[in-house]
């Protein structure tokens, strides 16, 4: 049985590349680690939004098998990026037998790709990690808001005019929609949940679409003081990553 990956001393370390470098030092010999469910858990939601000819960018790929699962599912044009050069090197070696899959060291906050490069951008847990350590899920710090905006602005920039952004996360709509529902990104927003027991969340943004009035209102409240509401915490017993307790936003 594969050993559990090392946990950080504090949740905020999930935001640091050096933590991931250390975590993935033996990634080549470790089994893939899947945040928020395996490919089968969300296949029925994901695949209808994809086309075989799509140019797909996977942000914060880690050592997940997601990119390989996409290739096996008939979506061969996949570029996977992570800001840990350690895991990028490991993934290149692990999937050297699939030369169509590409792996690059890149920060999601400053992508090197030209505008309009991708038909689909996909992230699974990357934003959650960048927001780990926030003290209050109802009141995200200005730094946290800026970090998410940097990523989403880059996603919007590299998408084609009719591209799709797909986000898989533990963050429920009352925490995450306000980040996605910013008119400056130029997309519509749709949500579904998946999983049994504890539910994870699937967000789909279509470039060229429009936000609903309700979504725009939520987006406008991102920097406003929140209403005092209790913060629910519920996790699957099988999920041992402590930082999930702090990222439902």
């Amino acid at each position: 049985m594969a050993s559990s990956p090392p946990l950080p001393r504090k949740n905020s370390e999930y935001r640091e590349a050096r933590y991931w470098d250390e975590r993935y030092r033996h990634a080549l010999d470790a089994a893939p680690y899947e945040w928020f469910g395996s490919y089968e858990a969300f296949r029925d939601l994901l695949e209808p939004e994809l086309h075989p000819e799509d140019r797909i960018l996977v942000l914060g790929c880690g050592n997940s098998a997601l990119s390989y699962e996409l290739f096996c599912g008939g979506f061969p044009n996949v570029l996977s990026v992570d800001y840990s050069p350690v895991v990028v090197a490991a993934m290149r070696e692990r999937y050297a037998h699939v030369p169509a899959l590409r792996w690059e060291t890149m920060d999601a906050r400053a992508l090197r790709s030209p505008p309009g490069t991708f038909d689909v951008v996909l992230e699974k847990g990357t934003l959650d990690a960048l927001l780990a350590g926030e003290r209050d899920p109802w009141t995200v710090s200005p730094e946290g808001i800026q970090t998410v905006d940097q990523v989403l602005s880059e996603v919007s920039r590299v998408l084609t005019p009719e591209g799709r952004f797909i986000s898989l996360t533990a963050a429920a709509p009352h925490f995450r929609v306000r980040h996605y529902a910013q008119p400056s990104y130029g997309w519509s927003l749709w949500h579904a949940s998946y999983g049994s027991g504890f539910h994870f969340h699937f967000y789909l943004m279509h470039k060229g679409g429009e936000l609903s009035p309700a979504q725009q209102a939520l987006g406008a409240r991102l920097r406003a003081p929140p209403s005092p509401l209790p913060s629910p915490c519920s996790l699957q017993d099988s999920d041992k990553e402590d930082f999930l307790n702090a990222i439902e936003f």
Side-chain angles (χ1 to χ4, degrees), residues 83-104:
Y83 66 179
S84 168
V86 173
V87 79
V88 168
M91 296 301 274
R92 281 178 180 161
E93 186 170 350
R94 172 173 288 176
Y95 294 109
H97 64 290
V98 189
L101 291 177
R102 294 166 293 141
W103 313 87
E104 293 186 18

Side-chain angles (χ1 to χ4, degrees), residues 100-155:
L101 291 177
R102 294 166 293 141
W103 313 87
E104 293 186 18
T105 303
M106 204 178 299
D107 192 321
R109 294 164 290 191
L111 298 172
R112 297 193 300 272
S113 303
T117 301
F118 299 100
D119 302 292
V120 176
V121 176
L122 177 61
E123 74 92 17
K124 183 157 78 84
T126 301
L127 290 175
D128 301 67
L130 290 173
L131 283 169
E134 287 287 329
R135 293 181 178 275
D136 180 2
W138 293 100
T139 310
V140 181
S141 68
E143 293 77 15
I145 292 172
Q146 181 182 22
T147 294
V148 175
D149 180 64
Q150 287 175 321
V151 175
L152 299 183
S153 294
E154 283 292 270
V155 169

